[in-house]
Amino acid sequence: MGTRSRSAPPFSRHDVGSAFFLREDIETGPLYMDPADLAEFSSVRVYISIQGRAIYWVDDDKFLKLYSYLVDVSSIVSNMDLARTRLPVPRVLRYGYSGNCAYILMERVPYESLARVLRRWGLDYMPWEVTTLAHYIVRELASIGLRHNDLEPRNILVDRDGSLASVVDWDSCTPLHIGGEYARQISHNPSFRLPGEEDWFHIFLLYTLDRTGEEILLGSSRYDNKRLHYWPLVKSKAADIIAPPVTDPRNQSFSRQMSASMRVTT
């Protein structure tokens, strides 16, 4: 029997598997952008590079995130724009598709993560002020119908006074009704948590619209932890995308490559 096409809908949970969404078992090559899209920058340095995703420092004041071409970065950007109406969120400078990947270029917020600050303090508990800050973030997002879905101390940046400077890493953000944040958090390996981080769990459950859905996710996570990670996906390969009329000037998918080819042909 041959292998069923990956474009076909899964018949069961076992058809999905841990690598179905991002095709991580076959997309093993490095992600790259077209050089024309990077020519304006003086420096591009690797910050994190893992399979299916990479982060670069650009000119020391920007972050460039690369994703599989299957990821719909416009959805991530839309969620960030909406969240910015209530919370400090990195400003998106440009996004789209280039080379063999999707990308988002955003400002770099020059503050430490809450995780690093808490480790430096060396506390064996979670200060109530920090839990109150987490509650504020979850409540503000819920008020506009969003779930961060990866709200951990490492994704909260604070200034020297301990005040909220920014909330980062919006890749997993979804509409509130999808939920899943409570299930994801309590399913994480406890050895990776900071002392007292479990004090946040009741906050995620408090703003959950569908507790039954959370329980279903908990049951699934026993077999496949990646099912707790939501990615907004596109329906065609980046190479097949024809640029539609663009209303957001930050969306510059293939714009430089197409401009260059037009100059050559004319």
Side-chain angles (χ1 to χ4, degrees):
M1 181 179 294
T3 303
R4 188 166 59 86
S5 171
R6 285 171 172 266
S7 62
F11 294 139
S12 67
R13 183 187 62 78
H14 299 288
D15 283 340
V16 176
S18 63
F20 181 84
F21 286 150
L22 294 183
R23 280 63 165 179
E24 291 176 348
D25 54 340
I26 59 175
E27 292 184 354
T28 57
L31 301 177
Y32 61 87
M33 291 180 62
D34 190 284
D37 288 325
L38 300 174
E40 66 186 89
F41 305 118
S42 59
S43 66
V44 179
R45 295 176 293 155
V46 175
Y47 179 66
I48 297 175
S49 182
I50 56 179
Q51 187 174 339
R53 193 164 28 152
I55 305 176
Y56 294 85
W57 264 348
V58 177
D59 290 350
D60 295 326
D61 62 350
K62 306 176 189 68
F63 270 132
L64 175 66
K65 301 188 72 172
L66 306 186
Y67 307 81
S68 164
Y69 61 78
L70 293 166
V71 176
D72 182 5
V73 289
S74 63
S75 295
I76 298 175
V77 172
S78 295
N79 289 335
M80 293 177 68
D81 289 343
L82 179 57
R84 194 178 299 108
T85 64
R86 295 299 182 94
L87 298 169
V89 174
R91 186 166 53 93
V92 174
L93 306 175
R94 185 189 307 161
Y95 67 95
Y97 297 88
S98 176
N100 71 342
C101 65
Y103 74 93
I104 299 177
L105 178 69
M106 67 188 77
E107 66 176 348
R108 174 175 173 255
V109 181
Y111 290 101
E112 283 189 302
S113 71
L114 182 57
R116 179 173 294 183
V117 172
L118 291 174
R119 290 192 182 97
R120 187 167 64 245
W121 289 349
L123 302 178
D124 59 356
Y125 64 94
M126 184 67 67
W128 69 267
E129 296 92 343
V130 175
T131 300
T132 301
L133 176 61
H135 192 165
Y136 167 75
I137 295 172
V138 175
R139 185 186 70 231
E140 290 300 299
L141 290 176
S143 69
I144 53 176
L146 290 180
R147 274 281 199 186
H148 185 279
N149 282 326
D150 198 13
L151 190 65
E152 299 180 2
R154 62 183 173 83
N155 289 329
I156 300 174
L157 307 186
V158 294
D159 60 21
R160 292 184 177 181
D161 297 327
S163 300
L164 178 62
S166 187
V167 181
V168 300
D169 199 352
W170 294 87
D171 300 350
S172 303
C173 181
T174 63
L176 180 64
H177 69 271
I178 293 179
E181 188 155 26
Y182 172 76
R184 288 191 59 189
Q185 294 292 348
I186 68 174
S187 299
H188 285 176
N189 189 332
S191 62
F192 295 134
R193 296 184 194 135
L194 291 172
E197 197 171 330
E198 61 274 8
D199 294 348
W200 295 12
F201 294 167
H202 74 282
I203 301 172
F204 303 128
L205 193 59
L206 179 64
Y207 292 94
T208 294
L209 297 181
D210 183 4
R211 297 196 179 194
T212 302
E214 296 279 354
E215 293 171 357
I216 292 174
L217 280 173
L218 283 173
S220 299
S221 67
R222 184 180 307 171
Y223 306 99
D224 182 4
N225 289 327
K226 289 192 177 182
R227 292 208 66 197
L228 299 182
H229 193 110
Y230 294 103
W231 290 86
L233 302 178
V234 295
K235 297 181 179 179
S236 59
K237 294 183 179 180
D240 299 331
I241 295 176
I242 299 176
V246 177
T247 57
D248 186 346
R250 298 172 300 175
N251 188 338
Q252 299 185 21
S253 299
F254 308 118
S255 58
R256 287 167 174 73
Q257 298 95 305
M258 288 190 295
S259 297
S261 63
M262 290 176 63
R263 287 195 297 270
V264 171
T265 56
T266 55

